[in-house]
Amino acid sequence: MTSGPAPSSDLPAEPLVRFESVSKRFGNVAAVDRLSLDIYSNEFFALLGPSGCGKTTLLRLLAGFERPDEGRIMLGGRDIAATPPHRRPVNMMFQNYALFPHLTVAGNVAFGLRQDGLAKAAIAARVEEMLALVKLEGLGHRRPDQLSGGQRQRVALARSLAKRPQVLLLDEPMAALDRKLREQTQFELMELQARLGLTFVIVTHDQSEAMTVAHRIAVMDRGRVVQAATPAEIYERPQSRWVAEFVGDVNLIEGIVLKTDAGEAVIGDKRGRRYRVAADVAAGAQISIALRPEKIRIHAGPAPPDAPNTMRGKVCDVGYLGSVSTYKVQLDDGVVVKATVANVARTSGEILRTNDNVWLSWPPDAAIVLTA
Amino acid sequence: MRRMSVTNLVALALGLAFLYVPIAILVVYSFNASRLVTVWGGWSTRWYAALLEDRAMIDAALASLLIATVSAALATVLGAFAALALTRFRFRGRLPFAAMIYAPLVMPEVITGLSLLLLFVAIDLDRGLFTIIIAHTTLTMCFVAIVVQSRLATFDRSLEEAAMDLGCPPGRTFFAVVLPVIMPAVIAGFLLAFSLSLDDLVIASFTTGPGATTLPIRIYSEIRLGVKPEINAVCTIFIAVVAATVVAASLIEKSRGREARALLA
């Protein structure tokens, strides 16, 4: 994600949306717990987390359907926590689309514009424009129940964009689409966001969706943001074991820093193995090494003598996924390490089989050292 | 569509015959030229003409229509709001309230009628059109509540949120989104209440007073003196009125989509 207009390094000073230690409790459960978060203008921002992490509640707080118990929600420098939903310059696309069944497609798209008391001609022109934007020209007279799932999704999108909201909220917008259509829609959303120059906030539990569409992602857990950064940063530099495990596949090795030397540290695990990792940590610290499976190299024969961090083991499971194969390798002491290899040749997937002896290695800069 | 088997066809024919043969006989005999109800004397519309002369019958029909219209309207409003309260608010005593609203459904009409009569006597209310309207509203509002409640139970709350999100204030949201979506149920409830009121003899007899004779009361009192062919004509007209109402309601329901389209064309 290098194309985003708002990478974390050069964010504008003033955020468009700011959550200031916002809490929302339902009974005894804090759905959102003293959460602070900034979202900037023109950002495609994703709220990612497991179900029940509070991401939908956060979106509903921004839409105005929930009132925070504590904290402030700022939009363009103004506290909107007490503003009812119909007075907020924010529109939402609902997970189930929530299309009005008694209105046509055009009636649905025009609904918000009518509330503003626009002239009929202006409304009609805007509806046409919106339908063209989502490629539904000529379907304005249909009823929602005469449309396919993908078309309904587009109507919902057109309706939520018709008023040109300052922030567009998308609540799991692609959950009901099949995979092919979902991927296509993801790219269309990105294209729309860039073209319209609006701020999009999407809620999703699908990490690949968040990584595909968003400039920045807030990973949430139990009502809090555990990390907010670009997709690459979250994947390559997770700040905690929880983030490393939630986003993507990872091998975790517990260990202690034995010694450090010029940005490189030697880590010892409890089985007496030694690892060299590129990290700035204090000697004696308890840490975890997080290793992404695709950064581990598999050798069918003994690893070259200069290869760092070599381990010997036996293939115990092969998962062929087409573009890549995932190997589970059991080390001599029983620990299982996962490694993925791109199937660059058509025969790549047939080289290694279960019970083959293999050697693994990984460069010192492949590892992520986590202290949390 | 699947082809119908012979068994299904026979079952359908029997069911329809069971429902409509008595009505068909009544309609046919209303055009009987003979004064004797059981003897066919050729086609004629003389009883319809005679009906126009029957001032008492026309008055009774007008009274019935008035009572049915007003009580159905009241019952629709009250019943719809009761349904709304029962589905929307989790207040204390919701379950007893829900059970109580269904009580008139299972209550024998004689008891409902008698208890209403006692009430009107106790509060010294002069019996007449007004008391029948109150009685019919009591009787029919629970039917409206049930019909509307079943529709509201499947109503998607996110539709209201979507409306508010698009700038519609909460009060207007009810009329812009909730009411149109539940409208078929409201219309069905109104029609049910209307026909129940038209149809009612027992409760009306208890709660009526001098000068307020509904059509069922009139017909019943005439029949005690023997079945007259005019009665068949009255009933045929009534069937036509009810059928027309039902057809009109379904047409209104269908045309709303076209209206919405025309609005944006």
Side-chain angles (χ1 to χ4, degrees):
Chain A
M1 282 292 114
T2 50
S3 59
S8 60
S9 52
D10 52 56
L11 292 169
E14 263 307 299
L16 178 64
V17 178
R18 162 165 274 175
F19 290 93
E20 283 181 17
S21 60
V22 171
S23 293
K24 175 69 191 175
R25 278 177 290 272
F26 296 109
N28 290 326
V29 185
V32 172
D33 187 12
R34 282 162 291 159
L35 176 146
S36 294
L37 180 67
D38 286 350
I39 298 169
Y40 294 89
S41 208
N42 283 359
E43 258 194 315
F44 203 139
F45 195 90
L47 300 171
L48 176 67
S51 55
C53 72
K55 56 190 191 300
T56 298
T57 305
L58 196 63
L59 202 71
R60 291 173 59 82
L61 280 165
L62 191 48
F65 302 136
E66 312 285 354
R67 293 272 183 94
D69 295 321
E70 284 159 31
R72 296 201 298 171
I73 302 170
M74 312 292 287
L75 177 68
R78 211 163 51 88
D79 187 358
I80 56 163
T83 310
H86 62 276
R87 295 220 189 84
R88 295 190 186 196
V90 165
N91 286 135
M92 174 133 141
M93 189 186 147
F94 290 78
Q95 182 172 5
N96 63 359
Y97 311 147
L99 298 178
F100 304 128
H102 61 295
L103 297 177
T104 60
V105 168
N108 267 279
V109 178
F111 189 91
L113 304 167
R114 288 222 195 92
Q115 306 308 317
D116 290 351
L118 259 63
K120 261 195 179 153
I123 292 176
R126 188 97 180 106
V127 168
E128 280 306 306
E129 187 193 332
M130 283 299 122
L131 291 181
L133 192 69
V134 296
K135 305 189 185 80
L136 285 177
E137 297 104 322
L139 294 184
H141 60 280
R142 295 262 190 102
R143 295 283 201 107
D145 58 8
Q146 298 169 319
L147 300 177
S148 71
Q151 288 171 328
R152 272 180 226 172
Q153 198 251 11
R154 283 155 187 276
V155 176
L157 184 62
R159 186 179 70 177
S160 57
L161 280 170
K163 294 183 79 170
R164 294 188 206 279
Q166 282 187 35
V167 184
L168 178 71
L169 310 175
L170 304 127
D171 184 7
E172 303 263 8
M174 287 163 272
L177 304 181
D178 63 57
R179 199 173 139 231
K180 263 272 181 299
L181 194 54
R182 189 158 61 219
E183 280 171 7
Q184 185 194 333
T185 311
Q186 285 167 0
F187 284 102
E188 283 174 1
L189 272 184
M190 292 161 69
E191 203 252 336
L192 261 181
Q193 190 270 338
R195 183 139 57 99
L196 300 174
L198 293 174
T199 308
F200 282 23
V201 179
I202 185 172
V203 156
T204 180
H205 65 272
D206 178 347
Q207 48 152 310
S208 75
E209 183 168 291
M211 299 191 72
T212 305
V213 299
H215 302 132
R216 283 201 306 143
I217 298 173
V219 183
M220 290 184 65
D221 179 33
R222 283 171 290 174
R224 288 170 173 250
V225 171
V226 283
Q227 187 171 2
T230 61
E233 212 168 321
I234 283 180
Y235 188 77
E236 303 293 358
R237 276 185 284 281
Q239 278 170 6
S240 66
R241 291 181 53 143
W242 195 89
V243 174
E245 284 191 285
F246 184 72
V247 180
D249 256 339
V250 76
N251 297 296
L252 284 168
I253 305 164
E254 311 274 341
I256 293 175
V257 182
L258 297 177
K259 61 176 185 180
T260 57
D261 177 31
E264 222 176 67
V266 176
I267 316 282
D269 72 6
K270 55 177 178 251
R271 290 183 177 80
R273 247 190 237 102
R274 295 274 186 281
Y275 306 97
R276 274 168 48 214
V277 299
D280 224 2
V281 281
Q286 280 274 0
I287 55 108
S288 311
I289 302 172
L291 266 176
R292 298 290 185 195
E294 74 280 5
K295 296 191 170 60
I296 298 177
R297 222 164 297 151
I298 298 194
H299 312 270
D306 59 334
N309 301 321
T310 57
M311 301 179 278
R312 216 173 73 99
K314 195 178 261 189
V315 177
C316 62
D317 192 23
V318 182
Y320 176 74
L321 302 172
S323 57
V324 296
S325 288
T326 302
Y327 299 94
K328 282 187 180 157
V329 177
Q330 190 163 36
L331 304 184
D332 297 340
D333 54 15
V335 175
V336 175
V337 175
K338 216 170 172 187
T340 52
V341 178
N343 292 325
V344 286
R346 287 178 57 202
T347 52
S348 295
E350 297 157 21
I351 295 169
L352 290 174
R353 294 177 188 287
T354 312
N355 289 329
D356 282 359
N357 282 316
V358 290
W359 283 259
L360 305 175
S361 74
W362 43 273
D365 62 357
I368 309 150
V369 172
L370 298 169
T371 50
Chain B
M1 215 201 286
R2 277 207 336 225
R3 274 180 62 91
M4 249 198 247
S5 72
V6 178
T7 331
N8 283 345
L9 215 59
V10 170
L12 182 69
L14 277 176
L16 286 177
F18 201 76
L19 285 172
Y20 290 105
V21 164
I23 295 174
I25 286 175
L26 182 138
V27 171
V28 169
Y29 271 95
S30 76
F31 293 101
N32 190 357
S34 166
R35 171 152 282 281
L36 295 163
V37 175
T38 46
V39 179
W40 182 252
W43 295 95
S44 162
T45 54
R46 61 183 279 207
W47 306 119
Y48 288 89
L51 212 54
L52 289 176
E53 308 292 309
D54 191 344
R55 199 60 236 173
M57 195 64 94
I58 289 173
D59 284 347
L62 290 178
S64 265
L65 280 178
L66 177 73
I67 292 166
T69 310
V70 176
S71 72
L74 287 173
T76 303
V77 173
L78 290 174
F81 278 114
L84 209 59
L86 284 174
T87 39
R88 288 307 168 79
F89 304 112
R90 305 277 136 189
F91 53 88
R92 274 177 81 91
R94 194 178 70 91
L95 280 176
F97 185 55
M100 277 160 67
I101 207 159
Y102 297 141
L105 276 183
V106 289
M107 191 81 78
E109 285 188 355
V110 179
I111 295 177
T112 309
L114 183 63
S115 58
L116 281 164
L117 173 64
L118 290 176
L119 172 75
F120 295 143
V121 171
I123 62 173
D124 201 19
L125 197 61
D126 283 337
R127 272 157 289 135
L129 285 183
F130 182 63
T131 46
I132 302 177
I133 288 173
I134 293 178
H136 281 183
T137 306
T138 311
L139 171 74
T140 57
M141 98 170 234
C142 61
F143 289 89
V144 177
I146 287 165
V147 173
V148 174
Q149 199 183 7
S150 69
R151 181 82 178 195
L152 276 173
T154 58
F155 185 87
D156 179 6
R157 293 302 294 272
S158 65
L159 289 181
E160 281 169 85
E161 289 183 343
M164 284 190 267
D165 185 64
L166 291 165
C168 197
R172 208 196 302 160
T173 295
F174 177 80
F175 293 100
V177 175
V178 183
L179 199 55
V181 172
I182 65 167
M183 195 42 105
V186 174
I187 291 174
F190 176 85
L191 287 174
L192 194 60
F194 185 83
S195 62
L196 280 168
S197 167
L198 272 191
D199 180 59
D200 171 70
L201 172 66
V202 178
I203 292 175
S205 319
F206 274 104
T207 53
T208 189
T213 306
T214 65
L215 198 59
I217 294 176
R218 180 90 218 152
I219 291 171
Y220 186 70
S221 61
E222 297 239 339
I223 283 193
R224 276 190 296 193
L225 309 172
V227 181
K228 289 200 298 181
E230 287 104 320
I231 303 294
N232 288 343
V234 175
C235 294
T236 302
I237 291 171
F238 249 93
I239 291 165
V241 167
V242 170
T245 322
V246 173
V247 170
S250 75
L251 286 180
I252 289 165
E253 187 43 30
K254 272 192 187 145
S255 71
R256 283 196 298 117
R258 282 195 289 275
E259 273 167 36
R261 248 169 274 158
L263 219 60
L264 287 158

